[in-house]
Amino acid sequence: MQADRRFTIAVNNYAAVVAAGSIIAAVRAQAPKVRLTLVPSGTLNLADRLDRAELDLAISARALDGERFASRRLIEDRFVAVLRAGHPALRKKLTGETLVELPHLAITSSGEDLDFVDAWLRARKAERTIASDVPYLSAGAVLVQSNMVAILGRKLALEFRRAYPIEMRELPFDASKLQSVMSWHRRFDDLPAHRWLRETIVAATAGI
């Protein structure tokens, strides 16, 4: 694509960490004159911004409601427990009892639903203790300096592990799936430049 133009995409924190690098690299490789502006979606009314054409796309945890929006799932992931390397809990299999005993690090900026964890524990008359609440980008630094555990998407934890000495363990129960979904307004369905961008993003995230 040779066009010199700009696209604005809202991304949640998961997509910003896991997918942004691959998306920008793919677009730059095919269309170096195209400028991508990625903005955090946390405080945005995505439907309203798409309606007003202030966004070209939104990448979030779920498809937007309303027939005027189309969507495509980009990434599917699963939740894992994440702890610092050398954590005493890593010496044995992670159990529900261990999850109750450990202090938990909650992520304030994720927007992810971890009710399945608390429901599983409640069924066993137990609950986890939230010791601290931090944004996504603080999680790695906090985990490596504590004995807390965080429940994060596996692909995101792999990205954090590039920078921090952390380890992952499978949860001791069936966990909800985590997904990343691209949504757009249907007015853009057949617009060639927009269709090219969507197809490029789908291809860029296929191997994540």
Side-chain angles (χ1 to χ4, degrees):
M1 182 176 178
Q2 299 301 317
D4 180 1
R5 63 164 297 171
R6 175 175 175 174
F7 294 101
T8 302
I9 306 172
V11 295
N12 62 0
N13 286 285
Y14 177 89
V17 174
V18 172
S22 296
I23 290 170
I24 290 176
V27 169
R28 292 285 300 165
Q30 295 185 43
K33 292 185 178 181
V34 167
R35 177 179 173 182
L36 287 189
T37 298
L38 272 57
V39 298
S41 64
T43 61
L44 301 181
N45 182 325
L46 297 179
D48 182 60
R49 294 295 181 98
L50 287 169
D51 280 336
R52 293 190 289 173
E54 293 177 1
L55 294 173
D56 291 285
L57 295 167
I59 302 178
S60 57
R62 59 190 60 84
L64 297 182
D65 294 330
E67 293 184 1
R68 66 192 186 281
F69 300 119
S71 65
R72 172 75 179 265
R73 187 175 67 190
L74 299 177
I75 302 169
E76 187 172 83
D77 201 355
R78 68 181 189 275
F79 288 100
V80 294
V82 184
L83 311 93
R84 67 173 174 84
H87 195 296
L90 296 174
R91 298 172 190 160
K92 56 185 179 180
K93 183 178 179 180
L94 183 67
T95 64
E97 290 73 18
T98 306
L99 283 179
V100 172
E101 294 167 1
L102 291 175
H104 283 246
L105 180 66
I107 309 301
T108 56
S109 58
S110 73
E112 290 157 6
D113 186 359
L114 294 181
D115 284 349
F116 69 91
V117 178
D118 298 312
W120 189 88
L121 291 173
R122 279 197 303 271
R124 287 151 183 80
K125 303 188 185 315
E127 62 181 350
R128 59 191 177 125
T129 300
I130 307 296
S132 294
D133 307 84
V134 300
Y136 247 143
L137 295 181
S138 302
V142 172
L143 285 172
V144 298
Q145 298 179 74
S146 74
N147 277 336
M148 286 187 275
V149 59
I151 298 175
L152 303 171
R154 181 178 177 276
K155 298 177 193 295
L156 182 131
L158 286 171
E159 291 297 325
F160 280 166
R161 200 166 66 177
R162 296 175 186 265
Y164 300 101
I166 58 175
E167 297 292 339
M168 295 175 287
R169 289 293 183 271
E170 297 296 332
L171 294 172
F173 46 81
D174 290 333
S176 298
K177 293 293 184 181
L178 172 64
Q179 62 180 4
S180 195
V181 178
M182 174 174 66
S183 299
W184 64 94
H185 200 288
R186 288 190 182 277
R187 76 164 77 91
F188 293 138
D189 272 350
D190 298 319
L191 190 67
H194 202 278
R195 186 169 61 247
W196 167 84
L197 177 62
R198 299 195 308 267
E199 291 171 353
T200 300
I201 291 174
V202 169
T205 55
I208 294 176

